[in-house]
Amino acid sequence: METNNEIGSARLNIAAGTHKGKVVQLTKSPFVIGRGVDCDYVDIGPGVSREHCVLRRECGSWTIEDNGSSNGIIVNGQKLKGKTRLYYHDRVAMGEMGFVFEDPENTMLNPNIAEKQKIEVIATKSEHTGSVVAFLILCMMLVAAIIFTFHTLNKNRQNKIREQVNVREVIKGKIVIEHEKPDMLPELVLFETNPPGATVTLNGQIVGKTPLSMTEGFQKINNYEVLLDGYEMRKGSLVFPVDKPKLSFDLKQKKGTFLLTSEKAGISIYHGDNLIGKTPLLLTDWKPGKYKLKFNDYGYSAKTETIEINQFQVKELKVELKAYTCQISVISNPPECSVFIDDLFMGKTKASDDKYNVRSAPLLLTGIRPGSHVVKVVSHDGKEYKWKIKKLTDERVYKIFADLKE
């Protein structure tokens, strides 16, 4: 197994699940994915186990192994048995969560997929040569059929227009006539909801989730329903043609539900020791009563709130967490060195009051956000000292001694 300094720049492009569209950097090995709060990447979607799988960096490549999950792992459409190597653009699914693996330092494709594509290309080339003549003959026949069909349809259309002329009104013995316009269905109908993710049914059939664009499957009269768990159903009819083929709905919460939001989305919510979700979260099937919930996120002070669910009321709570800051103390040898954090100049170390001490006095840097940082100390003659802090917290003052005399 390789050290964290040799991890590389591999990443997971989340294609499905609660964090669809997110890019996850593989910053350590092993790297655990699951719904448990201690996992390196947490996804609480359906079908994801507490510690679903483990990714490891081994001999310059990444591997994936099922960690005894309930629903297993699908790699490129095949169920994984044991452990396998990950190749560039391999597709992995677990429950309703899925990702595409990418490693810019190793772009080798899966040899099984590449060989299959190569065989398909060879077979296509061999079939192409033998079918050129037949294709040319078919084209000539098709052109002749199109000309004949166009002539027939044009004649029928003229006859139909004559038959569809309606007498609208008679004024002083003068007949005023108007041609009936053919039914014209729109090219696009758009369903939008706030919040998004509602299920749309059309004439009793599920057609997708909002936001949803539809270009086919319409009748002249269409009955639709818009449904989202915890919100009142919206329904109506679309009669074509329509002037504005865009339907937008502000969904209304059902009584007995409780909406939890935060200024910063994605705050974890706990009931006891159980993670119940992340903001924004709508509580739909909770019994009436009081509940104590804990809101927490890395870089913020945790907060506990007591909510009360009433079956006859709609309620909402917006939580604001206070971000905390950290401190770093820097001592340099020699003094008068410039200090940078993430390439941002923070100040210079000063000489100690003790004239026999060749080290500088501590330079205390405050107001630093938690997380990963790179501290750089530069002497007056250009020597540099770098130190990477993997996880800065507010629990203590982080101390750094930069010896540039070595």
Side-chain angles (χ1 to χ4, degrees):
M1 187 178 298
E2 302 183 19
T3 64
N4 287 343
N5 293 331
E6 301 170 337
I7 289 302
S9 56
R11 57 183 177 262
L12 312 178
N13 294 325
I14 307 301
T18 56
H19 305 302
K20 181 179 179 181
K22 184 177 181 180
V23 177
V24 179
Q25 203 74 30
L26 297 180
T27 57
K28 56 176 288 191
S29 175
F31 191 92
V32 181
I33 298 176
R35 67 186 298 114
V37 295
D38 295 329
C39 293
D40 299 300
Y41 175 70
V42 178
D43 192 298
I44 59 172
V48 180
S49 299
R50 183 173 293 276
E51 292 186 358
H52 202 110
C53 69
V54 181
L55 284 80
R56 293 184 175 90
R57 174 85 170 181
E58 300 177 352
C59 301
S61 302
W62 282 89
T63 63
I64 185 170
E65 182 177 6
D66 192 331
N67 202 30
S69 65
S70 302
N71 297 300
I73 301 174
I74 305 298
V75 180
N76 296 325
Q78 302 293 325
K79 188 166 185 178
L80 175 64
K81 296 181 179 179
K83 180 171 69 173
T84 187
R85 175 182 172 181
L86 286 174
Y87 291 90
Y88 196 75
H89 276 186
D90 273 358
R91 296 180 175 273
V92 180
M94 51 191 76
E96 292 188 6
M97 179 266 187
F99 62 81
V100 178
F101 173 80
E102 289 185 356
D103 187 353
E105 299 177 3
N106 188 352
T107 58
M108 180 180 178
L109 297 176
N110 194 311
N112 295 329
I113 298 177
E115 184 64 24
K116 181 179 178 182
Q117 293 175 343
K118 181 178 179 181
I119 293 173
E120 291 175 351
V121 169
I122 293 174
T124 302
K125 287 183 177 179
S126 61
E127 294 175 358
H128 177 72
T129 303
S131 61
V132 170
V133 176
F135 177 74
L136 292 175
I137 295 174
L138 180 61
C139 287
M140 295 174 64
M141 296 175 63
L142 183 60
V143 170
I146 291 174
I147 294 174
F148 175 78
T149 303
F150 177 78
H151 176 74
T152 303
L153 290 176
N154 188 47
K155 186 175 181 180
N156 291 340
R157 180 175 175 272
Q158 292 178 354
N159 293 334
K160 188 175 182 179
I161 290 176
R162 294 191 186 97
E163 294 173 357
Q164 290 181 345
V165 172
N166 292 334
V167 178
R168 297 301 185 191
E169 56 180 329
V170 178
I171 303 176
K172 295 182 181 180
K174 181 179 179 181
I175 299 179
V176 180
I177 62 175
E178 180 181 320
H179 296 288
E180 285 189 349
K181 295 181 180 180
D183 294 336
M184 298 295 292
L185 297 186
E187 296 181 356
L188 175 69
V189 173
L190 178 63
F191 289 87
E192 291 182 342
T193 59
N194 179 31
T199 299
V200 179
T201 68
L202 197 66
N203 300 320
Q205 300 294 322
I206 296 177
V207 293
K209 292 181 179 292
T210 59
L212 175 66
S213 299
M214 294 189 62
T215 57
E216 57 184 15
F218 295 107
Q219 302 173 12
K220 187 169 183 178
I221 299 178
N222 304 269
N223 298 316
Y224 65 82
E225 292 181 350
V226 180
L227 309 102
L228 184 61
D229 188 26
Y231 293 87
E232 295 182 2
M233 180 181 66
R234 299 292 296 272
K235 61 182 179 179
S237 299
L238 275 175
V239 181
F240 291 101
V242 294
D243 295 330
K244 297 180 180 180
K246 179 179 178 180
L247 302 175
S248 298
F249 304 96
D250 286 322
L251 300 183
K252 185 178 180 182
Q253 283 180 238
K254 290 182 178 178
K255 292 181 179 179
T257 61
F258 204 115
L259 180 61
L260 302 171
T261 63
S262 59
E263 185 174 350
K264 174 184 176 294
I267 299 295
S268 299
I269 307 173
Y270 295 86
H271 180 226
D273 295 329
N274 298 320
L275 175 66
I276 62 174
K278 296 188 176 185
T279 58
L281 178 66
L282 182 66
L283 305 181
T284 58
D285 298 322
W286 289 47
K287 294 180 180 180
K290 293 184 178 181
Y291 298 88
K292 184 177 289 187
L293 302 179
K294 180 181 178 181
F295 300 82
N296 196 12
D297 193 30
Y298 181 67
Y300 293 83
S301 299
K303 189 174 185 180
T304 300
E305 295 279 1
T306 298
I307 67 169
E308 183 175 5
I309 295 178
N310 188 316
Q311 61 180 331
F312 303 108
Q313 295 179 350
V314 171
K315 291 190 176 183
E316 180 178 353
L317 173 66
K318 184 175 182 179
V319 177
E320 294 185 7
L321 299 187
K322 183 179 180 181
Y324 62 76
T325 58
C326 309
Q327 297 179 330
I328 298 177
S329 175
V330 179
I331 298 176
S332 68
N333 180 23
E336 300 298 329
C337 291
S338 299
V339 180
F340 300 82
I341 295 182
D342 300 328
D343 293 326
L344 179 65
F345 178 71
M346 303 298 293
K348 280 190 173 185
T349 58
K350 303 296 181 182
S352 173
D353 293 335
D354 184 358
K355 64 180 180 179
Y356 298 105
N357 188 0
V358 296
R359 300 179 178 182
S360 71
L363 174 63
L364 184 63
L365 306 175
T366 61
I368 302 170
R369 294 284 294 132
S372 175
H373 297 281
V374 175
V375 180
K376 181 172 67 174
V377 183
V378 183
S379 65
H380 61 86
D381 58 356
K383 291 183 179 180
E384 290 188 3
Y385 174 92
K386 281 188 177 182
W387 185 260
K388 183 174 182 180
I389 304 175
K390 293 184 178 180
K391 191 174 183 180
L392 186 65
T393 67
D394 66 339
E395 297 175 356
R396 61 184 177 87
V397 177
Y398 199 96
K399 298 180 180 181
I400 294 177
F401 171 61
D403 191 354
L404 287 88
K405 285 290 189 180
E406 295 182 351

